[in-house]
Amino acid sequence: MKRRPIFIFKYFILTLLAIVFIFPQYWMFVSSIKSPREIFKFPPVLFPKEPVLENYLKVFQQVPFLRYMLNSFYVSAVVTIAALFLHSMAAYSLARLKYPGREFLFFLVISTLMIPSSAILIPLFFVVKFFGWINTYSGLIIPAIPHAFGIFLLRQFYLNFPRELEEAATLDGCSIPNIFFRIIIPISRPILSALAVFFFLANWNSFMWPLVVINSPSMRTVQLGIAQYGGEFNNPWAIQLAACTVAIIPSVIIFVILQKQLMQSITITGMKF
Amino acid sequence: MKKNIQELFFGYLFLIPDLIGLIIFWVVPSIIAFIVSLYNWDAIGQPIFSSFSNYRNLWSDPYWIKSLLNTVKYSLIFVPLNFIISLSLALLVKEDVRGIGIYKAIFFASTAMSSVAISFIWKYMFQPYGFVNYIISFFGISQQPLLGSTQQALFCILLVHLYMSVGYYMVIFLAGLNDIPLEYYEASKMDGANTIQRFWFITFPLLKPTSTFVLIMTFLQGFQIFDYIYILTGGGPYYSTSTSVYYMYYTAFQMYHFGYGSSQAFLLFLILVTLSFFMLKVLRSGKVAM
Amino acid sequence: MVKKGVIILLVLTLIIPVFFVSSGFTKDKVQVRFWKFTDTFADATIEKYIKLWNQSHPDIEVIFETFPWGDYTGTKLSSAFATGQGPDVFFISPGDLLRYVNAGLAQPLEKYLSTEEIKDFLPATIQSVKVSGHIFAIPLEMEPVAIFYNKKIFKDLGLQEPKIWSELLDTAHKLRKGEKYGIIVDVAPGYYQNFTWYPFIWSAGGDVISKDWKRALMTSQAGVSALKLWGDFIKEDVAPKTLPGSGPDITMLGNGIADMMVCGFWGVKQLQADFPKYDFGVFPIPPIDNKHKSISVYGGWRLMVNAKSKNVEEAVKFAKWMGVDQIDFPLEWCTVANSKFSPRKSVLKAGEKYYSTPPNDIFSKVLQTARSEPAFPPEIVKAVSDAIQGVMFGGLDAKVAAKQAETSITDFLKNYKGGIPGM
């Protein structure tokens, strides 16, 4: 079998890379159960002599971390669903539908990616204040929905879709919304799954905007929560890292669930609508 | 005719919600930011009109110029490296074999880490007696100052950025690779094409829309790099890791010169619009739809 | 049909949060918003006293909100005040005081304070919050800076506490073994690096600018020597060029990254709590030579009242209650929740026992000659920071770095039209 050596070589490289990638993750986890006496020690302590598993309890005791995770989950989920819906429509319009000004509008959309978010942090705060959304879920959710990243990515994907299906549907007299919801969306599942993961992650890891918009401790999101364990001089790294480890779990779970969707391949034959 | 009107109607209808959102939450604040750039303002006091003096001062600000140069240098290295590594990872994990999901999860999990974790892990890794120096000692290289060196600090940031980024773009390439109908591969195999030929003549060309996206996005992200600098070096040592966006943040939120900071943002915006316009033009030339 | 369901669900999920307004507005109570940076351990004490206040003052409700320390002054306060959403009472750092005074956001407090109340404060602390004759904040704490060291290693190597700079450098060399460094000083550019450096220029008999804010003095012998010392720490490899934690984190000393560390009074409590077996000592920052005196720096947050608040009177009442009217909170804040000094003589007396127990007694001694953290505007902070960074990492000669700083500061002072602290 000629394929064998290549196969093994591939897996060897993969495993090597995986070790490189997982090591910092391991370091995060193992440091989260260290006492302050070992946290910065050199040479590095690979297995703590006195593991402090209570740190994981402290994550939830010192601060209402579960509440923060729920806040983040709510915000991220709503933004993700709304964004997927709106971006796929916008992207389809930019990729497949013809109308005057389309190219200009596309460039306008992309140009928003060239605005550093810290530059509009305070101006955006003015806008949100105008709507009365300071310290509300709306203030966290609504400004986070429109974003050129998703529109751009989906547009590129729609450009690449085989046109035969749409052409056949048009000949059959299907309206555009019908084509979109009945043909395009189902085929888009892989890329929509990828985007779902990304949008969720982006909102989950968001820090600057929630910091500016949220005042009440009860509305804090997960990243604000992780920053709450310390103080001016005292950074209880282990507990924070434990919080970080807990925080990473939902994103990875969503990734694993949607992973199957991601892997669906297109076959032209066999598409029914 | 009916089709054209339908296309027009739905073309706008589908785009409008997101477009309005972008206008309210991105374009309007940017206009406000531009107006602020015409003033001297420290956020809490009274703004003082200064016309374009902020823009004039930029060109005599050595730290701004250094930051811009750092940014260009950074992007030129980050974009190709990220592209090659994430595409390679995607090709490696593309197989639908048992257990491949674990590898995908490992590569992806890095991108899900929070800033506190990144700060701790990588600062520690780059210490004089930390892991990175430990590894390179096996190659006979002496202990390096890494984050403590004006020459090396930016590359350390680059390493962290790559670590946090390649898993992400691997997922995008995976979705792109899966978009390529299997029939093309079947047909080419019957024609006797080998792996490399299949990649070069089928995969790579059909990946063009995805590649365009990745190149443009990573270019924009590289040019706007901020997070890792904020949490690892604070622009130091001695401005060697100060990039355009970092210096802009520093100017606005630590020096409290919001007007000056806004002028930096606007100028950066103009530079990016110009560069991406040309990038898109170049990438669009070719037979495959862009 | 599923799509319709999804759309309805979507609309619902978008509408519901609009009605989620946090902490309902009750019109009969006056609300005073009190902001601070987060300190999970010490904040419990503040919350305890706020609860006491809310119980005894049913008509004035104090709401306590905290934010991550690193982003509190730069991002949170700025964005809140920029949009008129600033709190009523808040913690403010020495570095920000002038900015808020110049912006008209600091409520003058002297008319609310009696002569005895003002006299209870150490005069220097009142001077440091006074601009143009008005008192703009209530000092709450003082944290002087000194050098912590590993007593056991010193004993093993037969080392004495250094008394002048040359001895300090020499001791650092003797301590430098293997992975261990001799001394830790902050390496990241910023106000804290400056803060821990000021004692060195002062202990060499100099200063950054003249007291009347008319002249920059960085190129004096003191300025150049202080810069050179820090540059030497790095150049002679006795101090690490990069740190795993932040500058003020005494954990680095406890973990043995070095056996000496420039740090503040807060370090005492942390070491005692997290490293009970670590035998540490403290000595004052040495002067440059025997002809000069050791002068340290102390930092410490203050309470400021928002002059543009809708409830100024109530806010002042609360701030005064916390910091001036009583001894309980300041005492608990300084000696139980943290290790800090109080700027009030009555509180210092009440905590006498605490402050005279070693090693706190060393800090008590240091405090007697220490100066308050200067209220420099960001331009001066940047000039000093660039000089320190330049000498440590930019390969600059100390004289060159000092000259660059002096030029920037002079340019700035020429155009500066704001208030001058202490005047």
Side-chain angles (χ1 to χ4, degrees):
Chain A
M1 298 289 289
K2 265 200 202 150
R3 288 168 74 202
R4 269 304 199 149
I6 301 176
F7 205 63
I8 295 179
F9 180 66
K10 248 189 177 168
Y11 258 85
F12 176 68
I13 300 278
L14 262 181
T15 312
L16 211 64
L17 285 169
I19 294 177
V20 170
F21 272 80
I22 212 177
F23 185 71
Q25 298 165 26
Y26 168 74
W27 191 250
M28 172 178 77
F29 172 69
V30 91
S31 301
S32 71
I33 51 177
K34 284 185 184 164
S35 68
R37 288 171 286 287
E38 289 186 301
I39 199 94
F40 287 143
K41 248 195 173 356
F42 287 99
V45 176
L46 287 170
F47 297 106
K49 290 190 197 98
E50 331 153 355
V52 188
L53 291 164
E54 298 82 61
N55 284 337
Y56 279 88
L57 282 175
K58 287 198 194 147
V59 166
F60 295 96
Q61 287 168 349
Q62 269 187 16
V63 132
F65 200 63
L66 198 61
R67 175 71 203 251
Y68 301 156
M69 285 180 78
L70 283 171
N71 283 336
S72 275
F73 192 82
Y74 177 65
V75 171
S76 305
V78 175
V79 173
T80 299
I81 296 172
L84 284 176
F85 186 63
L86 290 180
H87 294 344
S88 52
M89 292 199 315
Y92 185 68
S93 158
L94 288 171
R96 281 291 203 255
L97 302 176
K98 293 189 194 56
Y99 45 90
R102 187 186 77 170
E103 289 312 297
F104 167 73
L105 287 172
F106 173 58
F107 205 70
L108 179 69
V109 166
I110 304 284
S111 67
T112 62
L113 291 169
M114 301 164 207
I115 304 168
S117 47
S118 45
I120 53 170
L121 196 67
I122 292 191
L124 184 60
F125 195 49
F126 271 112
V127 172
V128 164
K129 175 187 167 196
F130 172 76
F131 285 115
W133 289 341
I134 293 182
N135 208 35
T136 64
Y137 285 107
S138 309
L140 284 172
I141 293 173
I142 300 180
I145 297 175
H147 200 288
F149 179 87
I151 304 177
F152 188 16
L153 183 59
L154 280 168
R155 175 195 179 266
Q156 299 303 99
F157 270 76
Y158 290 148
L159 281 175
N160 229 16
F161 276 9
R163 285 182 186 269
E164 293 86 14
L165 293 165
E166 292 159 81
E167 280 161 8
T170 320
L171 283 172
D172 275 0
C174 262
S175 68
I176 290 179
N178 255 327
I179 297 179
F180 179 68
F181 285 104
R182 292 233 180 118
I183 303 175
I184 301 292
I185 293 281
I187 315 180
S188 317
R189 265 211 294 260
I191 188 61
L192 288 178
S193 307
L195 278 176
V197 175
F198 290 153
F199 293 159
F200 186 83
L201 191 61
N203 283 281
W204 189 259
N205 281 349
S206 173
F207 177 79
M208 277 296 182
W209 180 244
L211 171 74
V212 167
V213 148
I214 297 298
N215 294 331
S216 307
S218 59
M219 300 230 12
R220 285 184 193 134
T221 56
V222 110
Q223 298 302 322
L224 288 179
I226 292 176
Q228 296 289 122
Y229 291 95
E232 189 177 4
F233 308 116
N234 189 3
N235 236 6
W237 285 108
I239 303 178
Q240 285 188 305
L241 291 172
C244 291
T245 310
V246 171
I248 231 186
I249 294 171
S251 303
V252 177
I253 291 179
I254 291 188
F255 174 76
V256 168
I257 292 175
L258 290 177
Q259 220 234 113
K260 272 225 168 82
Q261 298 287 335
L262 253 145
M263 288 348 298
Q264 273 185 359
S265 196
I266 287 188
T267 47
I268 300 181
T269 57
M271 286 310 304
K272 292 189 179 58
F273 55 92
Chain B
M1 289 303 105
K2 215 176 177 183
K3 181 169 188 274
N4 280 344
I5 295 179
Q6 226 203 127
E7 262 193 75
L8 199 104
F9 177 68
F10 284 108
Y12 287 123
L13 185 70
F14 276 13
L15 184 60
I16 296 240
D18 242 341
L19 193 65
I20 291 184
L22 281 174
I23 291 175
I24 297 178
F25 298 111
W26 288 84
V27 177
V28 167
S30 306
I31 295 175
I32 296 177
F34 174 69
I35 295 175
V36 170
S37 75
L38 303 174
Y39 286 79
N40 284 334
W41 188 45
D42 74 340
I44 60 179
Q46 282 293 97
I48 303 170
F49 186 69
S50 61
S51 179
F52 288 96
S53 66
N54 281 328
Y55 292 93
R56 273 182 294 219
N57 291 338
L58 278 176
W59 300 105
S60 49
D61 184 347
Y63 301 109
W64 182 74
I65 295 177
K66 176 153 177 65
S67 303
L68 189 60
L69 291 173
N70 281 341
T71 308
V72 172
K73 182 165 87 174
Y74 188 86
S75 305
L76 283 175
I77 307 175
F78 174 68
V79 174
L81 274 181
N82 180 78
F83 186 87
I84 295 170
I85 299 176
S86 47
L87 180 56
S88 309
L89 282 179
L91 290 169
L92 281 172
V93 297
K94 187 176 164 336
E95 317 296 314
D96 199 9
V97 273
R98 248 172 39 134
I100 199 77
I102 299 180
Y103 288 100
K104 281 188 223 156
I106 291 178
F107 296 133
F108 175 75
S110 336
T111 68
M113 290 188 149
S114 14
S115 49
V116 168
I118 302 164
S119 156
F120 176 83
I121 298 167
W122 286 99
K123 261 188 161 185
Y124 191 80
M125 301 244 167
F126 285 127
Q127 287 300 298
Y129 300 100
F131 292 110
V132 174
N133 266 322
Y134 183 66
I135 304 279
I136 64 179
S137 69
F138 285 124
F139 296 95
I141 306 175
S142 62
Q143 183 189 78
Q144 298 296 312
L146 299 171
L147 283 177
S149 147
T150 49
Q151 321 283 20
Q152 300 176 353
L154 198 61
F155 293 102
C156 296
I157 301 276
L158 185 77
L159 189 65
V160 178
H161 191 187
L162 281 172
Y163 177 80
M164 299 292 296
S165 176
V166 293
Y168 194 86
Y169 286 97
M170 172 196 81
V171 171
I172 291 183
F173 274 125
L174 273 175
L177 288 171
N178 278 300
D179 245 17
I180 300 172
L182 290 170
E183 285 83 14
Y184 293 175
Y185 290 117
E186 304 296 339
S188 73
K189 263 192 235 174
M190 291 202 283
D191 280 352
N194 65 24
T195 323
I196 297 182
Q197 284 172 323
R198 281 206 301 275
F199 175 77
W200 196 246
F201 290 107
I202 301 176
T203 314
F204 199 63
L206 286 174
L207 265 185
K208 214 169 176 202
T210 312
S211 300
T212 305
F213 174 80
V214 173
L215 285 171
I216 300 230
M217 281 311 303
T218 51
F219 166 68
L220 292 176
Q221 281 172 353
F223 229 83
Q224 295 178 56
I225 182 69
F226 168 76
D227 291 346
Y228 308 117
I229 298 171
Y230 180 65
I231 52 193
L232 286 171
T233 59
Y238 202 49
Y239 296 95
S240 56
T241 58
S242 178
T243 56
S244 299
V245 175
Y246 184 79
Y247 189 63
M248 182 198 79
Y249 174 85
Y250 170 77
T251 305
F253 290 94
Q254 287 177 14
M255 296 294 292
Y256 304 116
H257 291 159
F258 281 89
Y260 191 44
S262 288
S263 66
Q264 293 176 24
F266 189 68
L267 203 64
L268 183 67
F269 173 73
L270 287 178
I271 294 175
L272 285 176
V273 165
T274 314
L275 288 176
S276 346
F277 185 71
F278 283 114
M279 265 186 92
L280 266 175
K281 268 228 148 89
V282 167
L283 287 165
R284 276 179 161 198
S285 57
K287 293 200 190 100
V288 186
M290 277 287 91
Chain C
M1 293 307 110
V2 180
K3 254 137 255 152
K4 277 222 178 83
V6 170
I7 294 175
I8 293 175
L9 188 69
L10 202 76
V11 171
L12 276 177
T13 46
L14 285 177
I15 291 183
I16 289 174
V18 175
F19 297 111
F20 256 84
V21 183
S22 72
S23 59
F25 292 114
T26 38
K27 297 287 177 187
D28 41 331
K29 267 199 236 203
V30 169
Q31 285 188 333
V32 169
R33 266 155 74 232
F34 174 31
W35 279 14
K36 180 185 172 288
F37 56 86
T38 312
D39 187 338
T40 315
F41 314 98
D43 284 348
T45 309
I46 294 189
E47 277 159 13
K48 173 172 134 193
Y49 281 87
I50 290 182
K51 210 163 169 195
L52 277 172
W53 166 279
N54 282 337
Q55 280 165 356
S56 53
H57 295 80
D59 51 331
I60 306 177
E61 186 189 6
V62 170
I63 299 174
F64 183 49
E65 293 170 335
T66 66
F67 307 94
W69 177 75
D71 307 276
Y72 170 67
T73 43
T75 311
K76 189 63 188 176
L77 280 181
S78 298
S79 54
F81 278 106
T83 50
Q85 299 283 311
D88 305 298
V89 179
F90 55 104
F91 261 44
I92 191 162
S93 65
D96 266 349
L97 185 99
L98 210 50
R99 196 170 139 246
Y100 282 77
V101 169
N102 288 338
L105 283 169
Q107 173 68 17
L109 299 169
E110 65 279 357
K111 65 177 182 201
Y112 302 97
L113 301 168
S114 70
T115 331
E116 291 85 55
E117 287 171 332
I118 297 181
K119 275 224 188 100
D120 190 28
F121 282 88
L122 293 171
T125 59
I126 291 291
Q127 277 306 101
S128 66
V129 293
K130 223 181 192 180
V131 182
S132 312
H134 297 287
I135 297 176
F136 282 109
I138 299 175
L140 279 177
E141 51 190 37
M142 300 158 79
E143 295 162 304
V145 170
I147 300 185
F148 289 68
Y149 69 96
N150 186 333
K151 256 197 176 146
K152 183 175 181 302
I153 303 280
F154 265 52
K155 218 163 66 183
D156 290 348
L157 295 176
L159 294 170
Q160 302 288 331
E161 292 176 0
K163 293 274 179 304
I164 55 177
W165 287 11
S166 53
E167 286 176 22
L168 182 64
L169 201 50
D170 194 54
T171 309
H173 274 285
K174 295 206 173 90
L175 291 167
R176 178 81 174 91
K177 280 193 163 78
E179 283 131 5
K180 260 205 196 180
Y181 284 87
I183 185 169
I184 295 174
V185 287
D186 195 9
V187 294
Y191 96 93
Y192 182 77
Q193 187 182 49
N194 286 18
F195 172 70
T196 49
W197 178 82
Y198 294 133
F200 288 87
I201 187 175
W202 293 340
S203 302
D207 204 344
V208 175
I209 55 178
S210 58
K211 281 220 165 39
D212 55 8
W213 278 40
K214 290 228 165 72
R215 285 169 306 129
L217 304 170
M218 285 289 282
T219 52
S220 59
Q221 184 71 329
V224 173
S225 309
L227 286 173
K228 182 171 184 303
L229 180 68
W230 277 49
D232 288 346
F233 283 147
I234 296 293
K235 287 189 189 119
E236 296 179 19
D237 195 39
V238 292
K241 292 193 181 75
T242 144
L243 296 171
S246 56
D249 197 344
I250 199 86
T251 314
M252 297 190 283
L253 181 75
N255 274 185
I257 293 181
D259 285 322
M260 288 196 290
M261 180 168 170
V262 175
C263 195
F265 191 24
W266 58 82
V268 171
K269 202 160 214 93
Q270 246 183 283
L271 275 179
Q272 288 167 340
D274 291 338
F275 300 88
K277 296 208 195 92
Y278 189 90
D279 187 17
F280 70 95
V282 177
F283 61 86
I285 292 176
I288 184 170
D289 55 32
N290 288 315
K291 295 200 206 75
H292 291 86
K293 270 207 331 243
S294 165
I295 302 178
S296 183
V297 67
Y298 62 85
W301 292 75
R302 298 92 180 254
L303 272 180
M304 184 177 269
V305 173
N306 180 0
K308 300 216 171 101
S309 156
K310 293 195 188 77
N311 306 308
V312 170
E313 297 298 320
E314 290 84 353
V316 172
K317 199 162 171 212
F318 170 69
K320 193 163 172 278
W321 179 79
M322 286 289 265
V324 181
D325 294 346
Q326 55 171 303
I327 292 189
D328 290 347
F329 169 69
L331 187 65
E332 206 177 320
W333 179 250
C334 291
T335 61
V336 179
N338 299 293
S339 44
K340 299 178 197 271
F341 285 96
S342 173
R344 286 174 49 196
K345 298 177 190 149
S346 51
V347 180
L348 286 173
K349 187 142 197 300
E352 216 169 2
K353 184 151 178 276
Y354 177 78
Y355 292 123
S356 52
T357 321
N360 304 346
D361 56 339
I362 310 274
F363 279 102
S364 299
K365 206 172 86 168
V366 166
L367 191 64
Q368 282 164 16
T369 51
R371 288 191 206 162
S372 172
E373 178 182 350
F376 290 148
E379 289 81 355
I380 298 184
V381 172
K382 179 180 190 296
V384 174
S385 174
D386 288 349
I388 301 174
Q389 287 281 307
V391 163
M392 286 172 89
F393 302 105
L396 289 184
D397 179 72
K399 284 209 186 75
V400 173
K403 184 93 191 98
Q404 281 178 0
E406 193 167 287
T407 315
S408 317
I409 298 178
T410 311
D411 282 342
F412 169 76
L413 288 176
K414 259 202 301 235
N415 302 318
Y416 179 67
K417 292 188 185 64
I420 295 172
M423 299 259 128

